[in-house]
C-alpha cells in the first residue's frame, strides 16, 4: 500500500471537488437570501446551527467506526469489518429513535419567537419549521455514516464528490423554484433541502456497498463486544464533539438573542469567506487520519513524521491566502453578495483570520492524535473551553456591542490546544518508537 500515492490522489481530487462544492455553496447564498430575505435567512442559519447539534449525539460511534474499520481492513479481517459496520448502523439507528422522541418533546415546549428574537412569523409556524428541520436531520444522521465508510477505506475524495453533487442539485432546484415563481418560505426551503439531502445520502450509501462488495450490513453481523469497543473509544470522541458543539455552534444563537437575526447574517457571511480556507485544508488533512491509523497498525512511524512535516508546509499556503482574504474582504463581499447587504463589524474579519490560522494549524496535530486514539489531553482541553465559552461570548458581545465578541471567545478557547497539541504529538511518536525498539 503506497500511502503517499493514496494521499496525493485524495488531496488532488478532494481539493478539486471541495473547491467546486465551496464555489456552489458561495453561489447559492445570494439566492437563499433572495429566497428568504436577510432576516429570515438569519433564522434559517440559526435554526440549522442548533438542529445540526444532533450529529454530536452519536456517542462518537462515527469516529470509532472510522478508526476501527481502518484497523480491521489493514489486517484484512473482513468479518470483523462487517461486524463493525453492522453494529455501528444498528446503534446509530437506535440512538436516532431516542433522540427524535426527546427532540420532538423539547420542540413543543420551546417558544421559538423568544429564542430567535423573531416575531414576524407565528410561534406555530416556527415550531413547524424547526420540527421539519429536526426530522430530516435525524434521518440524515443515520444515512450520513457513509462518509465514515469512505474515509475508512481511504477514499476521502468521494465524500467531497458527493457533496459537490448535492450542492449542484440543490442550486438547480432553488433556481428552478425561483424561476417558476413558486411560493418562497422557510417551510418550502427545508422540504427542498431535506429531501435532496436524503436522496443523495441514500445513493452514496448504495454506491459504497455496491463497489465494496466484500463489506456489507446485516443484522446477523451485530456484535455486542464490537459495540463496547466502539463505545469505549467513541465515548471520548462524543465528549469532544459536545464541547465543540458548545464552542462553535452556539455563536449564531448568542448573536441572534443579544443583537438580532440580521446580525447573524453579517457574522455568518463573513465567517463563511474565511471558512473556505478551513474546508480546503480539512480536505488536505482528511486522508491523513485513516492513513495514520494504518501506519500505526504497521508501526511505520517514519511516514507519520514525514507527513506531519508535509502538512506544516501546506499550512504556509493557508497563511498566505488568509492574509489576502483579509486585505480584500470588502471587495469579496461586494462581488459575492452585493453592495450594502453585509456590514463588517470592527475587528470581525481580523479575528476570523486569526481563528482560521489557529484551527487549521491545530488540526494538523489533532488528526494525528485522533488516529492514535490518545485523545484524553485533547478532551480535557475541550471541556475547559466549553465551560468558559458561552459566558465569555455573552460578556464580550455585550462589552464590544458587536458579533466580534463571539469569535474572540472562540479564539481564547482554542489557544491551549494550539500550544499543547504539537507537544503531545511529539511525545506520542517518541514513546511509540521507544516501545517499538524494545519489542
Amino acid at each position: 500500500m503506497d500511502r503517499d500515492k493514496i494521499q496525493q490522489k485524495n488531496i488532488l481530487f478532494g481539493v478539486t471537488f471541495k473547491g467546486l462544492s465551496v464555489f456552489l455553496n458561495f453561489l447559492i447564498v445570494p439566492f437563499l437570501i433572495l429566497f428568504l430575505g436577510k432576516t429570515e435567512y438569519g433564522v434559517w442559519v440559526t435554526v440549522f446551527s442548533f438542529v445540526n447539534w444532533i450529529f454530536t449525539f452519536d456517542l462518537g460511534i462515527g469516529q470509532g467506526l472510522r478508526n476501527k474499520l481502518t484497523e480491521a481492513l489493514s489486517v484484512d479481517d473482513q468479518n470483523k469489518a462487517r461486524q463493525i459496520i453492522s453494529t455501528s448502523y444498528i446503534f446509530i439507528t437506535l440512538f436516532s429513535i431516542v433522540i427524535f422522541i426527546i427532540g420532538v418533546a423539547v420542540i413543543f415546549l420551546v417558544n421559538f419567537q423568544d429564542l430567535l428574537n423573531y416575531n414576524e412569523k407565528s410561534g406555530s409556524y416556527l415550531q413547524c419549521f424547526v420540527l421539519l428541520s429536526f426530522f430530516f436531520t435525524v434521518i440524515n444522521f443515520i444515512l450520513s455514516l457513509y462518509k465514515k465508510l469512505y474515509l475508512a477505506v481511504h477514499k476521502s475524495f468521494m465524500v467531497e464528490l458527493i457533496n459537490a453533487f448535492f450542492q449542484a442539485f440543490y442550486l438547480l432546484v432553488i433556481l428552478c423554484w425561483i424561476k417558476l415563481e413558486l411560493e418562497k418560505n422557510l417551510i418550502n426551503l427545508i422540504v427542498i433541502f431535506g429531501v435532496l439531502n436524503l436522496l443523495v445520502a441514500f445513493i452514496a450509501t448504495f454506491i459504497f456497498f455496491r463497489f465494496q462488495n466484500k463489506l456489507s450490513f446485516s443484522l446477523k453481523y451485530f456484535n455486542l463486544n464490537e459495540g463496547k469497543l466502539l463505545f469505549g473509544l467513541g465515548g471520548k470522541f462524543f465528549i469532544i464533539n459536545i464541547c465543540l458543539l458548545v464552542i462553535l455552534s452556539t455563536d449564531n444563537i448568542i448573536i441572534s438573542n443579544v443583537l438580532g437575526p440580521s446580525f447573524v447574517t453579517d457574522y455568518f457571511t463573513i465567517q463563511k469567506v474565511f471558512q473556505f480556507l478551513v474546508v480546503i485544508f480539512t480536505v488536505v488533512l482528511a486522508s491523513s487520519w485513516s492513513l495514520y491509523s494504518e501506519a500505526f497498525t504497521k508501526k511505520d512511524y517514519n511516514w507519520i513524521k514525514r507527513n506531519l512535516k508535509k502538512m506544516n508546509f501546506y499550512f504556509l499556503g493557508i497563511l498566505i491566502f488568509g492574509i489576502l482574504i483579509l486585505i480584500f474582504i470588502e471587495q469579496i463581499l461586494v462581488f459575492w453578495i452585493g453592495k450594502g447587504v453585509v456590514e463588517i463589524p470592527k475587528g470581525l474579519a481580523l479575528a476570523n483570520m486569526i481563528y482560521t490560522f489557529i484551527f487549521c494549524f491545530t488540526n494538523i496535530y489533532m488528526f494525528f492524535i485522533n488516529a492514535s486514539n490518545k485523545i484524553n489531553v485533547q478532551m480535557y482541553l475541550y471541556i475547559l473551553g466549553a465551560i468558559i465559552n458561552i459566558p465569555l461570548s455573552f460578556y464580550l458581545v455585550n462589552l464590544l456591542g458587536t458579533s466580534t465578541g463571539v469569535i474572540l471567545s472562540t479564539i481564547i478557547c482554542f489557544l491551549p490546544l494550539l500550544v499543547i497539541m504539537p507537544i503531545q504529538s511529539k511525545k506520542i511518536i517518541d514513546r511509540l518508537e521507544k516501545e517499538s525498539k524494545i519489542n
Side-chain angles (χ1 to χ4, degrees), residues 254 258 389-401 405-406 409:
I254 293 169
V258 177
N389 177 257
I390 292 178
L392 184 60
S393 292
F394 272 107
Y395 172 76
L396 291 174
V397 170
N398 282 295
L399 177 68
L400 300 175
V406 170
S409 175

Side-chain angles (χ1 to χ4, degrees), residues 50 53 98-112 115 127 130-131 134:
F50 67 77
W53 289 359
V98 173
I99 289 170
F100 185 73
I101 293 170
I102 295 172
V104 169
V106 171
I107 287 170
F108 281 104
L109 292 174
V110 173
N111 184 327
F112 287 101
L115 180 64
Q127 201 171 63
V130 175
L131 186 61
F134 186 64

Side-chain angles (χ1 to χ4, degrees), residues 31-149:
F31 291 106
L32 291 180
I33 294 175
L34 176 65
F35 196 102
L36 297 173
K38 182 177 178 180
T39 301
E40 280 204 356
Y41 180 69
V43 173
W44 168 271
V45 170
T46 304
V47 168
F48 260 81
S49 71
F50 67 77
V51 168
N52 281 327
W53 289 359
I54 187 174
F55 285 98
T56 66
F57 291 111
D58 68 343
L59 298 185
I61 291 174
Q63 305 291 24
L65 165 64
R66 178 179 182 176
N67 280 14
K68 294 297 181 182
L69 182 57
T70 300
E71 291 170 8
L73 294 175
S74 295
V75 294
D76 200 29
D77 192 339
Q78 302 291 339
N79 189 60
K80 185 175 183 179
R82 295 187 194 101
Q83 290 177 350
I84 292 168
I85 292 171
S86 301
T87 303
S88 297
Y89 268 101
I90 291 169
F91 273 139
I92 211 76
T93 301
L94 292 174
F95 280 125
S96 297
I97 294 170
V98 173
I99 289 170
F100 185 73
I101 293 170
I102 295 172
V104 169
V106 171
I107 287 170
F108 281 104
L109 292 174
V110 173
N111 184 327
F112 287 101
Q113 286 182 317
D114 290 341
L115 180 64
L116 298 170
N117 192 16
Y118 183 66
N119 297 310
E120 293 182 26
K121 296 288 186 182
S122 67
S124 59
Y125 180 92
L126 292 174
Q127 201 171 63
C128 180
F129 166 59
V130 175
L131 186 61
L132 281 171
S133 303
F134 186 64
F135 169 75
F136 284 118
T137 303
V138 168
I139 303 299
N140 191 49
F141 180 53
I142 301 169
L143 292 177
S144 65
L145 271 185
Y146 77 84
K147 297 177 182 179
K148 304 303 181 185
L149 297 177

Side-chain angles (χ1 to χ4, degrees), residues 421-436:
M421 290 300 95
I423 297 172
Q424 187 193 4
S425 296
K426 186 176 186 308
K427 287 185 176 180
I428 290 172
I429 295 173
D430 290 345
R431 185 171 66 252
L432 289 172
E433 284 186 318
K434 286 180 182 177
E435 291 174 357
S436 179

Side-chain angles (χ1 to χ4, degrees), residues 21-39:
S21 178
V22 169
F23 171 74
L24 292 169
N25 201 351
F26 271 68
L27 193 61
I28 202 171
V29 169
F31 291 106
L32 291 180
I33 294 175
L34 176 65
F35 196 102
L36 297 173
K38 182 177 178 180
T39 301

Side-chain angles (χ1 to χ4, degrees), residues 366-409:
M366 206 86 74
F367 274 46
F368 162 70
I369 292 169
N370 289 347
S372 72
N373 298 329
K374 302 184 184 301
I375 57 177
N376 286 349
V377 174
Q378 176 189 161
M379 181 179 68
Y380 297 139
L381 292 176
Y382 272 123
I383 291 171
L384 174 63
I387 290 171
I388 68 173
N389 177 257
I390 292 178
L392 184 60
S393 292
F394 272 107
Y395 172 76
L396 291 174
V397 170
N398 282 295
L399 177 68
L400 300 175
T402 72
S403 57
T404 304
V406 170
I407 193 69
L408 288 177
S409 175

